[in-house]
């Protein structure tokens, strides 16, 4: 065997065609599940027993075991993919959670329980086939050349299709053909279950406005002041455009706002909050903490950081609208993100966990009304989570109204299977023209296949990853900051 063949063999042994998807799924179970639990850690019932001052249900820890089956006689044993296919069963593993109930600050009960089952991706770390040799795979009734990267739901092989979307937490400034603003800057701020669109625009009065959630067209300078940056000099320094007359016009317009309370009150009146001043200010503070750039943080200590980020977004908007910089290209792959199976299952699990929490609270409060304190273990329905996740994977109907996310795998030949596992779809409607989105872009080279796309209405919207493309996974901010500090950069507090 010559050296090039050895290198190729080694490459495919270590990487494989669908390694990125399997890694995405492993990351979902190893890290994302616990993150979702941490987002919903403390649950407070609204109806509590009469003699109780404070009650909390706490979700502490979550983990997944390997696929198993419970037979009719109640016995449990491991299940392998070949048996799941033949017996029309789902290849799924139990999800266990550690839950505790706290009454008046004291722990009343703590237990570990199964809260549902999760379909397991073949060849992932949680699959019985993980790291088996070719001979061992043959003994288990599997094709030794099968790639894995799919699921078995009710005996049917299903694959989760990757979704291409605009990158979150990144502002893109584009030119408008219609509307009252010539340019608009848009950013999707994403944190947990939140994905909040923000837009910045400049109207004919020369004032810069920001829109997010139900807050429609509020001048941006009072928002920056409401977040704690009050001096005009500081705002100018943050925007870092010393000679720009646009900024002076905005600062002059709102020079009467001297304190953050005045700024909050101004914003509250613009939103349409009509209560007393204290309530108005408090409600506006909550809106800014929770819904303004949630990816930066949702706590009061993140306000200054939000103000500085807003100033940087405004600087970029001014430079693009002043034709100092080119408009951002939405079709450039730098501005895109591919949602793989791990990210899509995170969305599905997050929504269904909230359904499970809501159902548990309803059952708890129903029993409390009768004058009893129920055990959480008894009232938690473990089949609810399993049924909802398996239903979405069986039908392909996902959260957010998306359809066809999970599809029956095409097995006409090996290449078609490989193609289906590498499929990427765009969320854009196939009934609209969207010429730029359908066109081949220079940044697709080496990432997406230049020729494999269907003819007709889906052309350019349904694509496939290039055979040797690799997808990077999300890195933690702490690691990035550590690397940047090592290069000598200082993080601004």
């Amino acid at each position: 065997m010559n050296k090039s063949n050895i290198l190729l063999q080694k490459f495919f042994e270590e990487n494989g065609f669908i390694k990125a998807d399997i890694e995405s799924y492993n990351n979902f179970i190893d890290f994302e599940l616990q993150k979702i639990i941490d987002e919903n850690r403390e649950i407070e019932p609204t109806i509590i027993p009469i003699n109780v001052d404070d009650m909390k249900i706490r979700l502490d820890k979550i983990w997944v075991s390997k696929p198993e089956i419970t037979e009719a006689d109640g016995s449990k044993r491991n299940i392998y993919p070949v048996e799941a296919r033949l017996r029309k069963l789902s290849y799924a593993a139990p999800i266990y959670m550690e839950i505790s109930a706290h009454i008046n600050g004291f722990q009343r009960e703590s237990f570990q329980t199964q809260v549902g089952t999760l379909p397991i991706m073949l060849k992932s770390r949680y699959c019985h086939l993980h790291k088996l040799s070719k001979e061992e795979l043959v003994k288990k009734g599997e094709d030794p050349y099968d790639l894995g990267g799919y699921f078995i739901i009710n005996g049917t092989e299903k694959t989760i299709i990757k979704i291409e979307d605009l990158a979150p937490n990144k502002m893109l400034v584009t030119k408008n053909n219609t509307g009252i603003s010539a340019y608009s800057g848009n950013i999707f701020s994403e944190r947990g279950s939140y994905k909040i669109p923000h837009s910045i625009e400049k109207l004919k009065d020369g004032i810069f406005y920001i829109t997010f959630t139900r807050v429609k067209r509020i001048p941006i300078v009072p928002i920056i002041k409401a977040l704690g940056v009050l001096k005009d000099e500081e705002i100018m320094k943050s925007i870092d455009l010393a000679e720009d007359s646009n900024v002076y016009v905005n600062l002059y317009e709102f020079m009467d706002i001297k304190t953050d309370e005045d700024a909050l009150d101004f914003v509250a009146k613009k939103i349409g909050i009509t209560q007393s001043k204290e309530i108005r200010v408090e409600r506006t503070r909550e809106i800014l903490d929770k819904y303004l750039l949630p990816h930066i943080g949702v706590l009061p200590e993140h306000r200054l950081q939000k103000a500085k980020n807003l100033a940087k977004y405004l600087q970029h908007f001014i430079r693009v609208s002043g034709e100092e910089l080119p408009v951002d290209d939405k079709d450039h792959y730098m501005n895109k993100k591919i949602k793989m199976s791990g990210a899509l299952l995170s969305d599905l699990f997050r929504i269904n966990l909230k359904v499970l929490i809501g159902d548990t609270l309803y059952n708890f409060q129903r029993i409390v009304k009768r004058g009893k304190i129920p055990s959480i273990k008894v009232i938690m329905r473990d089949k609810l989570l399993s049924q909802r996740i398996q239903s979405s994977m069986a039908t392909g109907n996902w959260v957010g109204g998306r359809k066809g996310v999970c599809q029956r795998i095409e097995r006409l030949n090996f290449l078609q299977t490989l193609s289906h596992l590498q499929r990427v779809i765009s969320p854009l409607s196939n009934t609209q023209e969207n010429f730029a989105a359908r066109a081949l872009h220079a940044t697709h080279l080496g990432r997406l296949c230049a020729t494999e796309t269907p003819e007709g209405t889906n052309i350019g919207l349904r694509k496939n990853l290039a055979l040797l493309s690799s997808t990077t996974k999300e890195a933690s901010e702490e690691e990035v900051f550590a690397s940047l500090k090592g290069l000598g950069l200082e993080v601004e507090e």
Side-chain angles (χ1 to χ4, degrees):
M1 192 182 280
N2 61 36
K3 286 178 183 177
S4 61
N5 283 352
I6 293 168
L7 279 172
L8 279 170
Q9 192 177 329
K10 196 69 183 162
F11 173 83
F12 286 113
E13 275 175 18
E14 288 182 8
N15 294 285
F17 289 116
I18 51 161
K19 184 190 174 192
D21 217 22
I22 291 172
E23 279 187 350
S24 169
Y25 182 82
N26 288 337
N27 183 65
F28 160 64
I29 295 185
D30 292 341
F31 304 107
E32 292 300 319
L33 278 180
Q34 190 59 51
K35 264 192 207 170
I36 295 165
I37 293 299
D38 292 342
E39 286 168 22
N40 302 280
R41 184 168 287 280
E42 288 195 344
I43 307 155
E44 293 188 32
T46 49
I47 301 166
I48 55 176
I50 299 162
N51 57 342
V52 173
D53 298 325
D54 173 57
M55 171 138 196
K56 285 176 185 167
I57 301 163
R58 190 171 290 156
L59 310 180
D60 297 309
K61 197 179 167 194
I62 190 168
W63 67 97
V64 177
S65 65
K66 291 209 168 182
E68 61 179 42
I69 181 175
T70 307
E71 296 289 6
D73 62 356
S75 62
K76 289 186 179 182
R77 61 179 179 81
N78 288 345
I79 184 173
Y80 281 82
V82 67
E83 186 183 348
R85 291 187 191 101
L86 292 170
R87 290 181 60 189
K88 301 280 186 283
L89 301 170
S90 293
Y91 186 60
I95 310 168
Y96 295 101
M97 205 187 289
E98 200 174 280
I99 302 166
S100 53
H102 299 258
I103 295 175
N104 298 338
F106 295 100
Q107 189 170 299
R108 179 174 177 264
E109 65 173 322
S110 178
F111 59 93
Q112 294 176 357
T113 185
Q114 185 178 334
V115 291
T117 57
L118 182 74
I120 296 294
M121 181 184 274
L122 271 74
K123 302 284 179 82
S124 69
R125 198 177 296 134
Y126 295 85
C127 173
H128 291 303
L129 307 179
H130 180 58
K131 288 195 170 173
L132 292 189
S133 66
K134 286 182 181 177
E135 293 77 21
E136 288 169 322
L137 285 168
V138 171
K139 279 180 189 173
K140 297 293 180 190
E142 292 295 319
D143 175 1
Y145 298 102
D146 186 67
L147 297 161
Y150 57 90
F151 303 85
I152 299 170
I153 309 293
N154 301 327
T156 306
E157 294 174 339
K158 296 268 188 175
T159 178
I160 291 179
I161 303 297
K162 299 159 193 67
I163 293 176
E164 173 191 280
D165 213 347
L166 281 173
N169 312 331
K170 187 171 188 179
M171 193 175 84
L172 304 176
V173 181
T174 51
K175 195 166 188 176
N176 299 326
N177 296 323
T178 56
I180 54 174
S181 176
Y183 291 85
S184 66
N186 298 294
I187 174 172
F188 286 95
S189 181
E190 197 174 272
R191 182 192 184 89
S193 56
Y194 293 114
K195 189 174 182 182
I196 298 172
H198 295 58
S199 65
I200 293 174
E201 51 194 345
K202 180 187 171 189
L203 302 188
K204 287 177 182 176
D205 56 4
I207 305 297
F208 296 106
Y209 292 88
I210 187 168
T211 298
F212 61 98
T213 61
R214 293 177 187 171
V215 179
K216 306 291 181 198
R217 288 199 175 124
I218 301 290
I220 205 164
V221 169
I223 295 270
I224 293 173
K225 288 189 173 186
L227 292 166
V229 181
L230 295 164
K231 291 181 181 174
D232 290 354
E233 185 189 352
E234 276 184 59
I235 296 171
M236 281 300 290
K237 202 183 282 182
S238 297
I239 296 171
D240 199 22
L241 291 171
E243 298 303 316
D244 193 84
S245 58
N246 291 300
V247 184
Y248 289 126
V249 168
N250 279 263
L251 292 174
Y252 183 75
E253 185 73 25
F254 302 105
M255 63 188 292
D256 296 337
I257 298 172
K258 303 289 184 191
T259 67
D260 57 343
E261 272 207 14
D262 290 346
L264 287 161
D265 196 35
F266 174 87
V267 173
K269 285 173 182 170
K270 286 280 182 187
I271 296 169
I273 301 170
T274 54
Q275 289 112 323
S276 64
K277 187 177 178 181
E278 290 77 19
I279 298 170
R280 275 204 308 264
V281 167
E282 198 50 46
R283 275 192 64 191
T284 309
R285 231 178 230 130
E286 277 176 30
I287 289 167
L288 295 183
D289 283 344
K290 209 171 178 184
Y291 302 114
L292 177 68
L293 305 176
H295 73 278
I296 293 169
V298 290
L299 299 172
E301 54 261 36
H302 296 126
R303 286 174 194 159
L304 200 60
Q305 220 176 332
K306 287 182 181 183
K308 289 184 176 178
N309 272 273
L310 269 181
K312 292 297 172 203
Y313 294 148
L314 188 55
Q315 180 209 76
H316 182 61
F317 180 85
I318 291 166
R319 292 181 73 187
V320 173
S321 57
E323 297 182 357
E324 192 182 326
L325 290 175
V327 293
D328 295 304
D329 183 359
K330 279 184 182 178
D331 300 306
H332 194 293
Y333 242 65
M334 175 178 69
N335 300 324
K336 292 283 181 83
K337 177 184 180 180
I338 289 182
K339 276 193 155 188
M340 305 192 85
S341 57
L344 291 163
L345 282 167
S346 292
D347 294 344
L348 186 65
F349 186 82
R350 183 178 280 112
I351 293 290
N352 289 315
L353 180 70
K354 287 191 171 162
V355 172
L356 178 70
I357 290 168
D359 180 72
T360 305
L361 274 177
Y362 170 74
N363 290 331
F364 177 84
Q365 288 165 180
R366 190 164 51 87
I367 295 167
V368 164
K369 281 179 183 175
R370 295 179 196 158
K372 297 173 186 172
I373 302 179
S375 166
I376 310 301
K377 192 172 186 176
V378 175
I379 59 169
M380 191 168 261
R381 290 199 290 158
D382 65 321
K383 288 203 170 91
L384 184 67
L385 197 63
S386 314
Q387 284 168 352
R388 290 181 68 91
I389 290 173
Q390 291 211 22
S391 169
S392 285
M393 294 192 75
T395 59
N397 298 333
W398 225 251
V399 294
R402 284 182 172 144
K403 292 188 188 310
V405 173
C406 198
Q407 297 178 3
R408 186 174 186 154
I409 204 164
E410 292 168 2
R411 286 279 194 190
L412 192 65
N413 55 48
F414 183 80
L415 285 176
Q416 191 181 22
T417 305
L418 182 59
S419 164
H420 202 181
L421 291 169
Q422 298 275 55
R423 193 160 294 164
V424 178
I425 56 169
S426 168
L428 295 171
S429 168
N430 60 9
T431 56
Q432 293 173 333
E433 291 171 346
N434 293 319
F435 289 128
R438 292 171 189 269
L440 197 63
H441 197 278
T443 54
H444 289 177
L445 185 68
R447 296 180 177 93
L448 294 169
C449 180
T451 57
E452 193 177 5
T453 185
E455 288 286 331
T457 56
N458 282 319
I459 189 165
L461 299 181
R462 193 194 297 167
K463 303 182 264 266
N464 288 73
L465 289 177
L467 277 183
L468 297 182
S469 67
S470 61
T471 312
T472 53
K473 61 183 179 194
E474 195 174 346
S476 71
E477 283 187 3
E478 289 76 19
E479 288 174 20
V480 176
F481 283 142
S483 301
L484 291 173
K485 283 175 184 173
L487 292 168
L489 293 172
E490 291 179 13
V491 179
E492 194 175 302
E493 296 299 331

